[in-house]
Amino acid sequence: MNVLTDNLSLFREGFIGTVELTVVSGVIAMVLGVIIAAFRVSPVPPLRVFGTLWVNILRNTPLTLLFLVAFFILPKILFPDMDSFVLGVTALGFYTSSFVAEALRSGINTVPMGQAEAARAIGMSFTQVMRVVVLPQATRAVVAPMGSIFIALTKNSAIAGSFDNVDLFNVAKTLSNDGYDIAMIFLWITVAYLIITYAINGAFRLLEHRMEVAR
């Protein structure tokens, strides 16, 4: 118990850091995921090609490799002054966006084609069809998969702790180096991750329930 009580402020800082990494990279993943999913079903061939390449490349690239690119190549090419948090959420957000896009695309495929065709027939643009007709229905179908994606994102955020980000994994390394019992460290780190993931799971279950009632 001493490992927690003696380092409560450090645990709190790591917990908040993990939540911040998850939330910010999750927002990036959602925004990019919606755009890429729209590209994947776009009637414009170059956009479909771009969306396909985005998903296939990012989904099949190890996340650790993306972090290496973000931290050691990206600053040299584009943004030399970016801090570790921005680089970390960029790597996490881009990687997760490919999974979000595929989940949304599967949801889009559940929407009857006739609805989109009817919307186009009354003069709606592709963007309007996606925003008003398709995406609201597709979202209902992918709430549960999205919950799993964001839980995975929370666990993947631990990699950011190896790249100068303050999170729960970074706290574990610090306490281990200070000589605390590794078993107790991992026990409390596990409890902290469970709190976050159970909160995400509960939020998506509530969202799924409300959207089912709305349907």
Side-chain angles (χ1 to χ4, degrees):
M1 191 69 179
N2 290 342
V3 67
L4 177 64
T5 56
D6 293 348
N7 301 280
L8 191 59
S9 61
L10 185 60
F11 271 100
R12 181 171 61 249
E13 187 178 359
F15 184 88
I16 294 173
T18 295
V19 172
E20 289 177 343
L21 285 166
T22 301
V23 171
V24 177
S25 56
V27 171
I28 294 172
M30 281 300 300
V31 172
L32 289 176
V34 171
I35 295 172
I36 297 301
F39 283 4
R40 292 275 275 156
V41 297
S42 170
V44 182
L47 293 182
R48 289 202 305 271
V49 171
F50 180 85
T52 300
L53 289 175
W54 180 283
V55 169
N56 289 336
I57 291 174
L58 290 177
R59 287 187 72 189
N60 294 290
T61 300
L63 181 54
T64 304
L65 179 58
L66 290 180
F67 267 91
L68 292 174
V69 171
F71 276 82
F72 297 108
I73 297 179
L74 191 61
K76 293 182 179 180
I77 298 176
L78 296 175
F79 308 108
D81 297 326
M82 289 178 69
D83 62 29
S84 59
F85 179 81
V86 175
L87 293 171
V89 297
T90 298
L92 284 168
F94 277 47
Y95 178 76
T96 308
S97 70
S98 62
F99 294 89
V100 171
E102 279 300 274
L104 283 174
R105 188 175 71 90
S106 68
I108 290 170
N109 289 335
T110 66
V111 180
M113 183 67 68
Q115 294 190 24
E117 292 176 347
R120 294 298 296 272
I122 63 174
M124 296 178 70
S125 66
F126 174 76
T127 302
Q128 290 174 322
V129 172
M130 291 296 296
R131 180 172 56 85
V132 178
V133 179
V134 177
L135 284 179
Q137 296 183 71
T139 301
R140 294 190 182 105
V142 299
V143 170
M146 284 294 183
S148 298
I149 290 172
F150 279 90
I151 288 174
L153 170 61
T154 304
K155 293 182 284 188
N156 287 337
S157 69
I159 299 178
S162 301
F163 291 88
D164 296 328
N165 279 284
V166 178
D167 74 332
L168 290 168
F169 182 74
N170 187 275
V171 169
K173 291 193 304 178
T174 300
L175 294 178
S176 178
N177 292 335
D178 289 344
Y180 284 95
D181 182 9
I182 192 66
M184 293 305 299
I185 294 172
F186 281 122
L187 171 63
W188 290 113
I189 294 297
T190 300
V191 170
Y193 273 112
L194 285 174
I195 292 172
I196 298 172
T197 55
Y198 269 98
I200 293 173
N201 184 61
F204 274 91
R205 282 185 178 275
L206 179 62
L207 180 61
E208 184 178 17
H209 175 71
R210 289 189 175 181
M211 296 189 80
E212 284 179 350
V213 172
R215 188 187 306 181

